Amino acid sequence: MLVDEERIDEAVLALLWLTLHDERRAWKGFDWAALGRLHAKGLIADPVGRAKSVVLTDEGLRQSEALFRTLFTRAD
């Protein structure tokens, strides 16, 4: 099975928006490889550390909300 890492990253970024708190922090309970790729893309701060949450950059915050709306919402 071939895994599309780009789609995985999009889903993780969207779910980070779901757990957003303190304006731009999100719980980092996701796959470390995906978080590393999001960091390399400049969408989140370095996830390595003792904190249980990660900080989304301005672009990460924008994209995470857009992806959440695209992937996980429906019209009434």
Side-chain angles (χ1 to χ4, degrees):
M1 169 175 40
L2 294 174
V3 175
D4 186 342
E5 289 181 343
E6 186 63 31
R7 291 183 72 187
I8 297 292
D9 294 351
E10 289 175 352
V12 169
L13 190 59
L15 290 170
L16 286 173
W17 192 81
L18 178 66
T19 66
L20 203 60
H21 61 95
D22 296 336
E23 295 184 29
R24 61 178 55 242
R25 296 190 76 83
W27 300 114
K28 63 178 184 182
F30 296 98
D31 177 70
W32 283 104
L35 292 175
R37 290 189 301 270
L38 293 174
H39 173 63
K41 294 175 185 176
L43 300 172
I44 63 172
D46 191 352
V48 177
R50 297 183 124 197
K52 294 181 180 181
S53 59
V54 67
V55 176
L56 279 75
T57 64
D58 289 340
E59 182 61 17
L61 195 59
R62 186 191 67 72
Q63 283 189 35
S64 67
E65 182 177 5
L67 285 164
F68 184 86
R69 289 179 186 281
T70 299
L71 296 172
F72 302 121
T73 62
R74 62 180 176 213
D76 288 335

